[in-house]
Amino acid sequence: MTETADFPEPPKPDGWLSESELAAARRRMPLVYVDAVPVRVDDSGDVVAVGLLLRVNSVGAMTRSLVSGRVMYHERVRDALVRHLEKDLGPVALPQIPATPQPFTVAEYFPTPGVTPYHDSRQHAVSLAYVVPVAGDCEPQQDALELAWMTPEESCSEQVQVEMTGGQGYLLRQAMAHVGRLP
């Protein structure tokens, strides 16, 4: 009879949870996230384009999304923003994080729809949301199929808004209102 060996999970960097640890944490407490709206600005600092990612969700539908992800243990918010922007937009996106980043809003995602405009069936998450100018070349990375640059008006159109899920369309409209570009 042949016995099988149980191999331990490979070590994770500090601050990373195994899949089972993450699932347990998601059931017990809110997690901290960042949401980033990547934008292009003109010479006077006005937002002229918004970058939206095209992804395939878990049921195979095409959706538009913002850059989003968890803040790791012992990670500064600015470092989490840079990490997620580079992970989704590429290593030469050149995000311009201000010296003192201030979110334009705090989005509270709940697993129960309707509590807030934001919904995430996996967890309760609190997300700090930022508008982040990017100056470099951006290419979709990871699971993103495309990065589309749209005018602020196009990004807030009904056609684009219906392609966004979990309240990210609402968050995008808040971002454009914050920078004075809501149509």
Side-chain angles (χ1 to χ4, degrees), residues 34-101:
V34 290
D35 280 312
V37 180
V39 297
R40 299 279 194 198
V41 296
D42 64 15
D43 291 339
S44 63
D46 290 325
V47 173
V48 295
V50 177
L52 296 178
L53 296 163
L54 181 67
R55 300 181 192 272
V56 177
N57 69 12
S58 61
V59 295
M62 301 291 251
T63 62
R64 297 270 176 204
S65 68
L66 304 173
V67 172
S68 183
R70 273 187 301 131
V71 177
M72 304 304 289
Y73 177 75
H74 213 264
E75 180 179 43
R76 296 183 316 164
V77 168
R78 69 180 306 105
D79 294 332
L81 279 168
V82 169
R83 179 170 56 84
H84 288 293
L85 284 158
E86 288 180 348
K87 175 183 67 78
D88 284 347
L89 305 180
V92 291
L94 304 178
Q96 301 169 347
I97 310 295
T100 56

Short mmCIF file of all heavy atoms in Angstrom, two decimals, residues 34-101:
data_model
loop_
_atom_site.label_atom_id
_atom_site.label_comp_id
_atom_site.label_asym_id
_atom_site.label_seq_id
_atom_site.Cartn_x
_atom_site.Cartn_y
_atom_site.Cartn_z
N VAL A 34 -8.61 49.23 -0.95
CA VAL A 34 -8.51 50.50 -1.66
C VAL A 34 -9.20 50.32 -3.01
O VAL A 34 -9.15 49.25 -3.60
CB VAL A 34 -7.05 50.97 -1.88
CG1 VAL A 34 -6.43 51.40 -0.56
CG2 VAL A 34 -6.20 49.92 -2.56
N ASP A 35 -9.89 51.35 -3.44
CA ASP A 35 -10.45 51.43 -4.79
C ASP A 35 -9.75 52.61 -5.45
O ASP A 35 -9.61 53.68 -4.83
CB ASP A 35 -11.96 51.71 -4.77
CG ASP A 35 -12.78 50.47 -4.52
OD1 ASP A 35 -12.53 49.45 -5.17
OD2 ASP A 35 -13.71 50.54 -3.68
N ALA A 36 -9.30 52.44 -6.68
CA ALA A 36 -8.62 53.51 -7.40
C ALA A 36 -9.29 53.72 -8.74
O ALA A 36 -9.54 52.77 -9.48
CB ALA A 36 -7.14 53.20 -7.59
N VAL A 37 -9.58 54.98 -9.05
CA VAL A 37 -10.09 55.37 -10.36
C VAL A 37 -8.90 55.95 -11.12
O VAL A 37 -8.48 57.07 -10.84
CB VAL A 37 -11.22 56.41 -10.24
CG1 VAL A 37 -11.74 56.81 -11.61
CG2 VAL A 37 -12.35 55.91 -9.35
N PRO A 38 -8.31 55.18 -12.05
CA PRO A 38 -7.17 55.71 -12.79
C PRO A 38 -7.63 56.75 -13.81
O PRO A 38 -8.62 56.53 -14.52
CB PRO A 38 -6.57 54.48 -13.48
CG PRO A 38 -7.64 53.46 -13.48
CD PRO A 38 -8.61 53.80 -12.41
N VAL A 39 -6.95 57.87 -13.83
CA VAL A 39 -7.33 58.95 -14.75
C VAL A 39 -6.11 59.52 -15.45
O VAL A 39 -4.97 59.38 -14.98
CB VAL A 39 -8.07 60.09 -14.01
CG1 VAL A 39 -9.38 59.60 -13.39
CG2 VAL A 39 -7.19 60.75 -12.96
N ARG A 40 -6.35 60.16 -16.57
CA ARG A 40 -5.37 60.99 -17.27
C ARG A 40 -5.81 62.43 -17.05
O ARG A 40 -7.01 62.73 -17.08
CB ARG A 40 -5.34 60.69 -18.77
CG ARG A 40 -4.97 59.29 -19.13
CD ARG A 40 -3.50 59.07 -19.09
NE ARG A 40 -3.16 57.80 -19.75
CZ ARG A 40 -2.02 57.20 -19.57
NH1 ARG A 40 -1.11 57.73 -18.77
NH2 ARG A 40 -1.76 56.06 -20.16
N VAL A 41 -4.84 63.28 -16.80
CA VAL A 41 -5.14 64.70 -16.59
C VAL A 41 -4.41 65.54 -17.62
O VAL A 41 -3.35 65.14 -18.13
CB VAL A 41 -4.78 65.15 -15.15
CG1 VAL A 41 -5.64 64.43 -14.12
CG2 VAL A 41 -3.31 64.96 -14.86
N ASP A 42 -4.95 66.73 -17.92
CA ASP A 42 -4.28 67.64 -18.83
C ASP A 42 -3.29 68.50 -18.05
O ASP A 42 -3.10 68.30 -16.84
CB ASP A 42 -5.28 68.47 -19.64
CG ASP A 42 -6.13 69.40 -18.79
OD1 ASP A 42 -5.79 69.64 -17.60
OD2 ASP A 42 -7.15 69.90 -19.31
N ASP A 43 -2.66 69.46 -18.73
CA ASP A 43 -1.62 70.28 -18.10
C ASP A 43 -2.14 71.10 -16.92
O ASP A 43 -1.37 71.45 -16.03
CB ASP A 43 -0.97 71.21 -19.13
CG ASP A 43 -0.14 70.44 -20.13
OD1 ASP A 43 0.26 69.29 -19.83
OD2 ASP A 43 0.10 70.98 -21.24
N SER A 44 -3.43 71.39 -16.91
CA SER A 44 -3.98 72.16 -15.79
C SER A 44 -4.52 71.28 -14.68
O SER A 44 -5.04 71.78 -13.68
CB SER A 44 -5.07 73.12 -16.29
OG SER A 44 -6.15 72.39 -16.82
N GLY A 45 -4.41 69.95 -14.83
CA GLY A 45 -4.84 69.03 -13.79
C GLY A 45 -6.28 68.58 -13.91
O GLY A 45 -6.78 67.87 -13.03
N ASP A 46 -6.96 68.98 -14.99
CA ASP A 46 -8.35 68.55 -15.18
C ASP A 46 -8.37 67.12 -15.71
O ASP A 46 -7.58 66.76 -16.59
CB ASP A 46 -9.07 69.46 -16.18
CG ASP A 46 -9.32 70.85 -15.61
OD1 ASP A 46 -9.58 70.95 -14.40
OD2 ASP A 46 -9.25 71.82 -16.39
N VAL A 47 -9.30 66.31 -15.21
CA VAL A 47 -9.45 64.92 -15.66
C VAL A 47 -10.00 64.92 -17.08
O VAL A 47 -11.05 65.51 -17.35
CB VAL A 47 -10.37 64.13 -14.71
CG1 VAL A 47 -10.67 62.75 -15.27
CG2 VAL A 47 -9.74 64.03 -13.33
N VAL A 48 -9.27 64.27 -18.00
CA VAL A 48 -9.71 64.20 -19.40
C VAL A 48 -10.06 62.77 -19.82
O VAL A 48 -10.71 62.57 -20.84
CB VAL A 48 -8.65 64.80 -20.36
CG1 VAL A 48 -8.49 66.29 -20.09
CG2 VAL A 48 -7.32 64.09 -20.24
N ALA A 49 -9.61 61.77 -19.07
CA ALA A 49 -9.92 60.38 -19.41
C ALA A 49 -9.93 59.53 -18.15
O ALA A 49 -9.19 59.79 -17.19
CB ALA A 49 -8.89 59.83 -20.40
N VAL A 50 -10.77 58.50 -18.18
CA VAL A 50 -10.90 57.54 -17.08
C VAL A 50 -10.57 56.16 -17.64
O VAL A 50 -11.07 55.78 -18.69
CB VAL A 50 -12.34 57.55 -16.52
CG1 VAL A 50 -12.50 56.52 -15.42
CG2 VAL A 50 -12.73 58.93 -16.03
N GLY A 51 -9.74 55.41 -16.91
CA GLY A 51 -9.39 54.06 -17.34
C GLY A 51 -10.25 53.02 -16.64
O GLY A 51 -10.27 52.96 -15.41
N LEU A 52 -10.95 52.21 -17.43
CA LEU A 52 -11.78 51.15 -16.89
C LEU A 52 -11.31 49.81 -17.43
O LEU A 52 -11.03 49.67 -18.62
CB LEU A 52 -13.26 51.36 -17.25
CG LEU A 52 -13.91 52.61 -16.67
CD1 LEU A 52 -15.35 52.72 -17.17
CD2 LEU A 52 -13.85 52.61 -15.16
N LEU A 53 -11.23 48.83 -16.54
CA LEU A 53 -10.79 47.49 -16.91
C LEU A 53 -11.97 46.66 -17.38
O LEU A 53 -13.08 46.79 -16.85
CB LEU A 53 -10.14 46.81 -15.70
CG LEU A 53 -8.86 47.48 -15.21
CD1 LEU A 53 -8.53 47.02 -13.80
CD2 LEU A 53 -7.72 47.21 -16.16
N LEU A 54 -11.74 45.82 -18.35
CA LEU A 54 -12.74 44.86 -18.81
C LEU A 54 -12.32 43.50 -18.29
O LEU A 54 -11.19 43.07 -18.49
CB LEU A 54 -12.81 44.84 -20.34
CG LEU A 54 -13.84 43.90 -20.95
CD1 LEU A 54 -15.26 44.37 -20.62
CD2 LEU A 54 -13.65 43.82 -22.46
N ARG A 55 -13.23 42.84 -17.57
CA ARG A 55 -12.94 41.54 -16.98
C ARG A 55 -14.10 40.59 -17.26
O ARG A 55 -15.19 41.01 -17.60
CB ARG A 55 -12.80 41.65 -15.46
CG ARG A 55 -11.70 42.56 -14.98
CD ARG A 55 -11.67 42.55 -13.45
NE ARG A 55 -10.86 43.58 -12.87
CZ ARG A 55 -9.56 43.49 -12.62
NH1 ARG A 55 -8.92 42.39 -12.91
NH2 ARG A 55 -8.90 44.49 -12.07
N VAL A 56 -13.85 39.31 -17.05
CA VAL A 56 -14.90 38.30 -17.10
C VAL A 56 -15.16 37.90 -15.65
O VAL A 56 -14.24 37.51 -14.93
CB VAL A 56 -14.47 37.07 -17.93
CG1 VAL A 56 -15.55 36.00 -17.89
CG2 VAL A 56 -14.16 37.47 -19.36
N ASN A 57 -16.42 38.00 -15.21
CA ASN A 57 -16.72 37.66 -13.82
C ASN A 57 -16.89 36.15 -13.65
O ASN A 57 -16.73 35.38 -14.60
CB ASN A 57 -17.94 38.44 -13.31
CG ASN A 57 -19.24 38.03 -13.96
OD1 ASN A 57 -19.34 37.02 -14.65
ND2 ASN A 57 -20.27 38.84 -13.76
N SER A 58 -17.23 35.73 -12.45
CA SER A 58 -17.29 34.30 -12.12
C SER A 58 -18.36 33.53 -12.88
O SER A 58 -18.30 32.31 -12.98
CB SER A 58 -17.49 34.12 -10.61
OG SER A 58 -18.71 34.71 -10.22
N VAL A 59 -19.35 34.23 -13.43
CA VAL A 59 -20.40 33.55 -14.20
C VAL A 59 -20.20 33.73 -15.71
O VAL A 59 -21.06 33.39 -16.50
CB VAL A 59 -21.82 34.00 -13.78
CG1 VAL A 59 -22.12 33.59 -12.35
CG2 VAL A 59 -22.01 35.48 -13.99
N GLY A 60 -19.05 34.29 -16.10
CA GLY A 60 -18.72 34.41 -17.52
C GLY A 60 -19.20 35.67 -18.20
O GLY A 60 -19.07 35.80 -19.41
N ALA A 61 -19.74 36.61 -17.45
CA ALA A 61 -20.21 37.87 -18.04
C ALA A 61 -19.08 38.89 -18.08
O ALA A 61 -18.24 38.94 -17.18
CB ALA A 61 -21.38 38.42 -17.23
N MET A 62 -19.07 39.72 -19.12
CA MET A 62 -18.09 40.79 -19.24
C MET A 62 -18.53 41.96 -18.37
O MET A 62 -19.69 42.37 -18.42
CB MET A 62 -17.98 41.25 -20.69
CG MET A 62 -17.58 40.13 -21.62
SD MET A 62 -15.90 39.63 -21.34
CE MET A 62 -15.15 40.24 -22.79
N THR A 63 -17.60 42.48 -17.59
CA THR A 63 -17.90 43.62 -16.72
C THR A 63 -16.78 44.64 -16.81
O THR A 63 -15.64 44.32 -17.14
CB THR A 63 -18.06 43.19 -15.25
OG1 THR A 63 -16.83 42.63 -14.79
CG2 THR A 63 -19.19 42.19 -15.08
N ARG A 64 -17.10 45.88 -16.49
CA ARG A 64 -16.11 46.95 -16.37
C ARG A 64 -15.83 47.12 -14.88
O ARG A 64 -16.72 46.98 -14.05
CB ARG A 64 -16.64 48.27 -16.93
CG ARG A 64 -16.93 48.22 -18.40
CD ARG A 64 -15.72 48.62 -19.19
NE ARG A 64 -16.00 48.47 -20.61
CZ ARG A 64 -15.07 48.30 -21.50
NH1 ARG A 64 -13.80 48.25 -21.14
NH2 ARG A 64 -15.36 48.17 -22.76
N SER A 65 -14.58 47.44 -14.55
CA SER A 65 -14.26 47.61 -13.13
C SER A 65 -13.17 48.64 -12.93
O SER A 65 -12.44 49.01 -13.85
CB SER A 65 -13.84 46.27 -12.50
OG SER A 65 -12.60 45.85 -13.03
N LEU A 66 -13.08 49.08 -11.70
CA LEU A 66 -12.02 49.96 -11.24
C LEU A 66 -10.87 49.10 -10.72
O LEU A 66 -11.00 47.90 -10.58
CB LEU A 66 -12.54 50.87 -10.12
CG LEU A 66 -13.78 51.69 -10.46
CD1 LEU A 66 -14.29 52.41 -9.21
CD2 LEU A 66 -13.49 52.68 -11.57
N VAL A 67 -9.78 49.73 -10.40
CA VAL A 67 -8.67 49.03 -9.73
C VAL A 67 -9.06 48.91 -8.27
O VAL A 67 -9.48 49.88 -7.64
CB VAL A 67 -7.35 49.81 -9.90
CG1 VAL A 67 -6.25 49.20 -9.05
CG2 VAL A 67 -6.95 49.87 -11.37
N SER A 68 -8.93 47.71 -7.72
CA SER A 68 -9.36 47.49 -6.34
C SER A 68 -8.58 46.34 -5.73
O SER A 68 -8.17 45.42 -6.44
CB SER A 68 -10.86 47.14 -6.32
OG SER A 68 -11.32 46.99 -5.01
N GLY A 69 -8.36 46.41 -4.42
CA GLY A 69 -7.70 45.30 -3.74
C GLY A 69 -7.48 45.56 -2.27
O GLY A 69 -7.65 46.68 -1.78
N ARG A 70 -7.09 44.49 -1.58
CA ARG A 70 -6.90 44.55 -0.13
C ARG A 70 -5.64 45.32 0.25
O ARG A 70 -4.65 45.32 -0.47
CB ARG A 70 -6.76 43.14 0.45
CG ARG A 70 -8.05 42.50 0.81
CD ARG A 70 -7.87 41.17 1.53
NE ARG A 70 -7.11 40.22 0.71
CZ ARG A 70 -6.08 39.52 1.17
NH1 ARG A 70 -5.68 39.64 2.40
NH2 ARG A 70 -5.46 38.67 0.39
N VAL A 71 -5.69 45.92 1.42
CA VAL A 71 -4.51 46.48 2.07
C VAL A 71 -3.96 45.37 2.95
O VAL A 71 -4.67 44.78 3.76
CB VAL A 71 -4.86 47.72 2.92
CG1 VAL A 71 -3.63 48.25 3.63
CG2 VAL A 71 -5.51 48.80 2.06
N MET A 72 -2.70 45.05 2.75
CA MET A 72 -2.07 43.96 3.49
C MET A 72 -1.64 44.43 4.89
O MET A 72 -1.45 45.62 5.13
CB MET A 72 -0.85 43.44 2.73
CG MET A 72 -1.16 42.99 1.31
SD MET A 72 -2.44 41.75 1.21
CE MET A 72 -1.57 40.38 1.88
N TYR A 73 -1.47 43.47 5.78
CA TYR A 73 -0.99 43.76 7.12
C TYR A 73 0.36 44.46 7.02
O TYR A 73 1.24 44.05 6.27
CB TYR A 73 -0.85 42.45 7.91
CG TYR A 73 -0.28 42.64 9.29
CD1 TYR A 73 -1.05 43.18 10.31
CD2 TYR A 73 1.03 42.30 9.57
CE1 TYR A 73 -0.54 43.37 11.57
CE2 TYR A 73 1.56 42.48 10.83
CZ TYR A 73 0.77 43.01 11.83
OH TYR A 73 1.29 43.20 13.08
N HIS A 74 0.50 45.56 7.75
CA HIS A 74 1.74 46.33 7.83
C HIS A 74 2.08 47.02 6.50
O HIS A 74 3.24 47.30 6.22
CB HIS A 74 2.90 45.45 8.30
CG HIS A 74 3.90 46.21 9.13
ND1 HIS A 74 5.04 46.75 8.60
CD2 HIS A 74 3.91 46.53 10.43
CE1 HIS A 74 5.73 47.37 9.54
NE2 HIS A 74 5.05 47.25 10.66
N GLU A 75 1.07 47.29 5.68
CA GLU A 75 1.28 47.98 4.41
C GLU A 75 0.62 49.35 4.48
O GLU A 75 -0.53 49.48 4.92
CB GLU A 75 0.65 47.17 3.27
CG GLU A 75 0.81 47.79 1.89
CD GLU A 75 0.19 46.95 0.79
OE1 GLU A 75 -0.94 46.43 0.98
OE2 GLU A 75 0.83 46.81 -0.26
N ARG A 76 1.34 50.37 4.05
CA ARG A 76 0.75 51.71 4.01
C ARG A 76 -0.29 51.75 2.89
O ARG A 76 -0.17 51.06 1.88
CB ARG A 76 1.82 52.76 3.74
CG ARG A 76 2.85 52.86 4.85
CD ARG A 76 3.88 53.94 4.62
NE ARG A 76 4.37 53.98 3.24
CZ ARG A 76 5.03 55.00 2.72
NH1 ARG A 76 5.28 56.07 3.44
NH2 ARG A 76 5.45 54.96 1.47
N VAL A 77 -1.30 52.60 3.06
CA VAL A 77 -2.35 52.74 2.06
C VAL A 77 -1.74 53.16 0.73
O VAL A 77 -2.10 52.62 -0.32
CB VAL A 77 -3.42 53.74 2.53
CG1 VAL A 77 -4.35 54.13 1.40
CG2 VAL A 77 -4.22 53.15 3.70
N ARG A 78 -0.80 54.09 0.74
CA ARG A 78 -0.18 54.54 -0.52
C ARG A 78 0.54 53.38 -1.22
O ARG A 78 0.49 53.28 -2.43
CB ARG A 78 0.73 55.75 -0.30
CG ARG A 78 1.99 55.45 0.48
CD ARG A 78 2.91 56.68 0.70
NE ARG A 78 3.26 57.34 -0.51
CZ ARG A 78 2.74 58.52 -0.94
NH1 ARG A 78 1.86 59.16 -0.21
NH2 ARG A 78 3.10 59.03 -2.08
N ASP A 79 1.17 52.51 -0.45
CA ASP A 79 1.85 51.36 -1.05
C ASP A 79 0.84 50.37 -1.63
O ASP A 79 1.09 49.77 -2.69
CB ASP A 79 2.75 50.66 -0.03
CG ASP A 79 3.91 51.54 0.42
OD1 ASP A 79 4.34 52.42 -0.36
OD2 ASP A 79 4.37 51.37 1.57
N ALA A 80 -0.30 50.21 -0.96
CA ALA A 80 -1.35 49.34 -1.48
C ALA A 80 -1.90 49.91 -2.79
O ALA A 80 -2.13 49.16 -3.75
CB ALA A 80 -2.47 49.17 -0.46
N LEU A 81 -2.08 51.22 -2.85
CA LEU A 81 -2.55 51.85 -4.09
C LEU A 81 -1.58 51.58 -5.24
O LEU A 81 -1.97 51.15 -6.32
CB LEU A 81 -2.72 53.36 -3.90
CG LEU A 81 -4.00 53.82 -3.23
CD1 LEU A 81 -3.90 55.29 -2.84
CD2 LEU A 81 -5.19 53.59 -4.15
N VAL A 82 -0.30 51.83 -5.00
CA VAL A 82 0.70 51.62 -6.05
C VAL A 82 0.73 50.15 -6.46
O VAL A 82 0.75 49.82 -7.65
CB VAL A 82 2.09 52.10 -5.59
CG1 VAL A 82 3.18 51.65 -6.55
CG2 VAL A 82 2.11 53.61 -5.42
N ARG A 83 0.71 49.25 -5.49
CA ARG A 83 0.77 47.81 -5.79
C ARG A 83 -0.41 47.38 -6.67
O ARG A 83 -0.22 46.69 -7.68
CB ARG A 83 0.77 47.01 -4.48
CG ARG A 83 0.82 45.50 -4.67
CD ARG A 83 1.07 44.78 -3.35
NE ARG A 83 0.12 45.09 -2.31
CZ ARG A 83 -1.07 44.48 -2.16
NH1 ARG A 83 -1.42 43.52 -2.99
NH2 ARG A 83 -1.86 44.81 -1.17
N HIS A 84 -1.61 47.80 -6.32
CA HIS A 84 -2.78 47.39 -7.10
C HIS A 84 -2.83 48.08 -8.46
O HIS A 84 -3.23 47.45 -9.45
CB HIS A 84 -4.06 47.61 -6.31
CG HIS A 84 -4.21 46.64 -5.19
ND1 HIS A 84 -4.40 45.29 -5.39
CD2 HIS A 84 -4.15 46.81 -3.85
CE1 HIS A 84 -4.48 44.68 -4.22
NE2 HIS A 84 -4.32 45.58 -3.27
N LEU A 85 -2.43 49.34 -8.53
CA LEU A 85 -2.40 50.02 -9.83
C LEU A 85 -1.39 49.36 -10.76
O LEU A 85 -1.67 49.13 -11.94
CB LEU A 85 -2.10 51.50 -9.65
CG LEU A 85 -3.30 52.32 -9.13
CD1 LEU A 85 -2.83 53.60 -8.47
CD2 LEU A 85 -4.28 52.60 -10.25
N GLU A 86 -0.22 49.02 -10.25
CA GLU A 86 0.79 48.37 -11.08
C GLU A 86 0.38 46.93 -11.42
O GLU A 86 0.65 46.46 -12.52
CB GLU A 86 2.15 48.41 -10.40
CG GLU A 86 2.74 49.80 -10.39
CD GLU A 86 4.10 49.90 -9.72
OE1 GLU A 86 4.53 48.92 -9.05
OE2 GLU A 86 4.73 50.96 -9.86
N LYS A 87 -0.30 46.26 -10.49
CA LYS A 87 -0.76 44.89 -10.74
C LYS A 87 -1.79 44.87 -11.88
O LYS A 87 -1.76 43.99 -12.74
CB LYS A 87 -1.37 44.29 -9.48
CG LYS A 87 -2.00 42.92 -9.66
CD LYS A 87 -2.66 42.41 -8.40
CE LYS A 87 -3.85 43.19 -7.97
NZ LYS A 87 -5.11 43.00 -8.64
N ASP A 88 -2.69 45.85 -11.92
CA ASP A 88 -3.75 45.87 -12.92
C ASP A 88 -3.38 46.64 -14.19
O ASP A 88 -3.89 46.33 -15.27
CB ASP A 88 -5.03 46.47 -12.34
CG ASP A 88 -5.77 45.51 -11.43
OD1 ASP A 88 -5.43 44.30 -11.42
OD2 ASP A 88 -6.68 45.95 -10.71
N LEU A 89 -2.54 47.67 -14.08
CA LEU A 89 -2.24 48.52 -15.23
C LEU A 89 -0.82 48.34 -15.77
O LEU A 89 -0.48 48.93 -16.79
CB LEU A 89 -2.44 50.00 -14.86
CG LEU A 89 -3.80 50.38 -14.30
CD1 LEU A 89 -3.84 51.87 -13.98
CD2 LEU A 89 -4.91 49.98 -15.24
N GLY A 90 0.00 47.57 -15.08
CA GLY A 90 1.36 47.33 -15.55
C GLY A 90 2.40 48.09 -14.75
O GLY A 90 2.09 49.07 -14.07
N PRO A 91 3.65 47.64 -14.83
CA PRO A 91 4.71 48.20 -14.00
C PRO A 91 5.15 49.61 -14.39
O PRO A 91 5.85 50.27 -13.62
CB PRO A 91 5.86 47.21 -14.18
CG PRO A 91 5.59 46.56 -15.50
CD PRO A 91 4.11 46.53 -15.65
N VAL A 92 4.75 50.08 -15.57
CA VAL A 92 5.14 51.44 -15.97
C VAL A 92 3.93 52.37 -16.07
O VAL A 92 3.94 53.34 -16.83
CB VAL A 92 5.96 51.45 -17.28
CG1 VAL A 92 7.31 50.82 -17.07
CG2 VAL A 92 5.22 50.77 -18.40
N ALA A 93 2.89 52.10 -15.29
CA ALA A 93 1.71 52.97 -15.27
C ALA A 93 2.04 54.33 -14.66
O ALA A 93 1.43 55.33 -15.00
CB ALA A 93 0.58 52.31 -14.48
N LEU A 94 3.03 54.35 -13.79
CA LEU A 94 3.49 55.58 -13.11
C LEU A 94 2.35 56.34 -12.42
O LEU A 94 2.05 57.49 -12.72
CB LEU A 94 4.21 56.51 -14.10
CG LEU A 94 5.40 55.89 -14.84
CD1 LEU A 94 5.99 56.90 -15.82
CD2 LEU A 94 6.44 55.38 -13.88
N PRO A 95 1.72 55.68 -11.43
CA PRO A 95 0.66 56.37 -10.67
C PRO A 95 1.25 57.52 -9.87
O PRO A 95 2.36 57.43 -9.34
CB PRO A 95 0.11 55.28 -9.75
CG PRO A 95 1.16 54.24 -9.68
CD PRO A 95 1.95 54.32 -10.95
N GLN A 96 0.53 58.62 -9.81
CA GLN A 96 0.97 59.81 -9.11
C GLN A 96 0.18 59.94 -7.81
O GLN A 96 -0.84 60.62 -7.76
CB GLN A 96 0.81 61.04 -10.01
CG GLN A 96 1.61 60.92 -11.28
CD GLN A 96 1.28 61.99 -12.30
OE1 GLN A 96 0.29 62.70 -12.18
NE2 GLN A 96 2.11 62.11 -13.30
N ILE A 97 0.68 59.29 -6.78
CA ILE A 97 0.03 59.31 -5.47
C ILE A 97 0.48 60.58 -4.75
O ILE A 97 1.69 60.82 -4.63
CB ILE A 97 0.42 58.07 -4.62
CG1 ILE A 97 0.25 56.77 -5.42
CG2 ILE A 97 -0.37 58.05 -3.31
CD1 ILE A 97 -1.14 56.42 -5.82
N PRO A 98 -0.45 61.40 -4.27
CA PRO A 98 -0.02 62.62 -3.57
C PRO A 98 0.72 62.31 -2.28
O PRO A 98 0.61 61.21 -1.73
CB PRO A 98 -1.33 63.36 -3.29
CG PRO A 98 -2.42 62.40 -3.52
CD PRO A 98 -1.89 61.27 -4.35
N ALA A 99 1.47 63.29 -1.80
CA ALA A 99 2.26 63.10 -0.58
C ALA A 99 1.38 62.73 0.61
O ALA A 99 1.78 61.96 1.47
CB ALA A 99 3.06 64.37 -0.27
N THR A 100 0.19 63.28 0.66
CA THR A 100 -0.76 62.95 1.73
C THR A 100 -2.07 62.50 1.09
O THR A 100 -2.99 63.30 0.91
CB THR A 100 -1.01 64.16 2.66
OG1 THR A 100 -1.45 65.26 1.86
CG2 THR A 100 0.23 64.55 3.42
N PRO A 101 -2.16 61.24 0.73
CA PRO A 101 -3.37 60.77 0.03
C PRO A 101 -4.61 60.84 0.92
O PRO A 101 -4.60 60.36 2.05
CB PRO A 101 -3.03 59.33 -0.35
CG PRO A 101 -1.92 58.92 0.53
CD PRO A 101 -1.20 60.17 0.95
#
